[in-house]
Amino acid sequence: MTTSRNPEQEAGEDLDERFNSSAPQRSNALSNKVSSILSASYVDSEIRDALKTLDGKKIVNSAETRRGLRLDVQKDVIDRNGSIIKDFGHVAEPLKRIGSTIHSLNKCCEDMRRHVTAARQENAPVLEETSSLLARKEEFETKRQLLDAFTQHFIISEEDSLVLTSSSEDVDDRFFDILKRTKRIYADCQVLLGSENQRLGIELMNQSSRSLNKGYQKLYRWVQKQFKTLNLENPQISSNIRRALGALAERPSLFQSCLDYFAEAREHLLTDSFYAALTGSSGENEHNPMTKPIEFYAHDPLRYVGDMLAWTHSTTVSEREALEALFISDGDEINQSLQAGRQAEPWSADDNEAFDGRKALGELVNRNVTGVAKALRQRIEQVFQNHDDPVLLYKIANLVNFYCITFSKLLGAESSVLTTLSALEDSSLRQFRTVTSDTVSSIQAELFAPPTDLQIPDFLDETLTQFAALQKSYDSSLTPPSSRTADFAPIISQALNPFLAACEKMARQGEDPANSIFMANCILAAKTILSKYDFVQTRVSELEAQLATLTAKLIEYQHAFFLHTSGLHPLLVALAPLDDSPDSLLKVPTLPPFQQQSLSDASHTLDDFLPSALVDGMENLKALSSTKVAQEVTTEAAERFCEDFEFVEGRLGAVDALRGKTEDDAEGNDGKEVVMLRELFPRTSGEIRVLLS
């Protein structure tokens, strides 16, 4: 048997033969081989795998091994291929069995397909009829659901209709829910009117409209019934009443009728309460021991009027607070309901203004207290008729004015209560002017000369006392500071000026200085009363101007008294026409008052006058009520007297100096000694000022 060699052995033998054949060729081939091996890249993965495989066989590098290397490798490949084929042989058998199974299954499926096709052909009419029945069932179910939804939405049950319309059923949350649902049905019926068949929409709309009208009528009667027994003093007012008013606002005519009924009932109730507060008895003439009757306890007219006004204000505030819970808390709801109601009843809408809860509340409260305002006016007018005290009338006017301002903020400027109070204020002021005018007329009819003590007359004293009370009352009023002076000016012209004018008329019947002193006393008294308040300072300035005029007259009188009593007046009269020229000065000694005896007597008179001059001057003004004014007048008169004396002193000194110079220069003197005027009248202005200071 020939031994087969593998390719590696053959390659080795061939290499040895070529190596032995020719040395030069072997040398070149070896070089090329080495170069080829060295230039080969071992980065290739296949080369690396081949090298790893050879390394795993642990082959010894020998010539025999190299010669049989290829054969060994091929043998391994063949062995492994045979192993794989053997393994696939084991798999092929199950695959054959699976193929037969699949074939039988396909045959079974084909048989079943033929049976199904045959059955489908037989059951096709039944299935078609079943589909038609199912479609009709679905259609009927849809219609049933639509009918149920329509009935539930648009149809009101008999029970609900009974709750909505029957007066025997109470008005509660269920009633309002049914009413709301009925309104929604009525509104949704408009959608049905847009369909082709409008008959259903019209019938449902008529039915819901009748139910709504009956429901609103029931609600209207229920609200009226509740208003009869409604206690506004109870802070827990039923929420159903507020809901009823909000719902009833959708029928403006019924809503307004309820308000009118409520206002009338409250007007009678508050009027009865007012009379009960006055007398202490209720409408059934039963005395309430818990209340203090105003007519029994308020003996003072001002307190009587004030208590009535205070009760009216307190009641109005309570009424407003109580009604706020009915209208203001749900103001938006009522506004929306009224807007909807105006669309439903366009004939009942006067305008398109939005509902103002505050304004409506004020109007309702104003209507509720109208009866109280009428009764209040009657009582206060009785006070005016029974009293003629101007101070009381003016205080009442100020008190009414205070409540006018208060009610204008509470109810608005157009309320009947404010109109009543404004009329009462005008009536009080008119009565005040009438009483004051009558008093002035009676005084002027009996005017007489000033009293001997020159003090203010009794009527002026009483007038100033009253005027002080008027000022105090006005100062406590709420008149704005910017208009206080102008608003009080008419009171001055009515309650003060006529009496001062009467005093001036009395003063004209006297003589100076008594008339000036009397009038000054009157003005000083008035000025004292008026000086306490800022809003009469204009009149105080006028009085000060009058007083300054009277003071000037008294100064003139006092000055004249000083001149005549001191004997200085003849000297001033004699010197008045002369000037400062030497000729005029030389005439002075020849004048009668400047003769020796006359001038000496004048000096003695002056000496007698000076010690008691101020005392005598103050004695002249002792009737003046203000010692300060008397001192000022006397001081000013003394100052003028001192100036006059300085004038006389200067002229006498000038005359003496001129006469001395003339005598020295003259010749042929008869030997008589010239007597200087200053020797006869030696007092100096310094001495005069000291003695009169």
Side-chain angles (χ1 to χ4, degrees), residues 270-315:
L270 293 179
T271 303
D272 292 341
S273 299
F274 178 72
Y275 285 115
L278 292 178
T279 61
S281 300
S282 61
E284 292 78 12
N285 295 324
E286 296 180 358
H287 180 70
N288 186 0
M290 300 302 294
T291 61
K292 294 183 178 180
I294 296 176
E295 292 184 344
F296 295 164
Y297 288 89
H299 303 290
D300 178 51
L302 183 62
R303 180 184 173 184
Y304 175 65
V305 174
D307 287 351
M308 288 191 296
L309 290 172
W311 186 93
T312 304
H313 176 258
S314 176
T315 301

Side-chain angles (χ1 to χ4, degrees), residues 190 245 491 613:
Q190 298 178 2
L245 290 175
I491 305 302

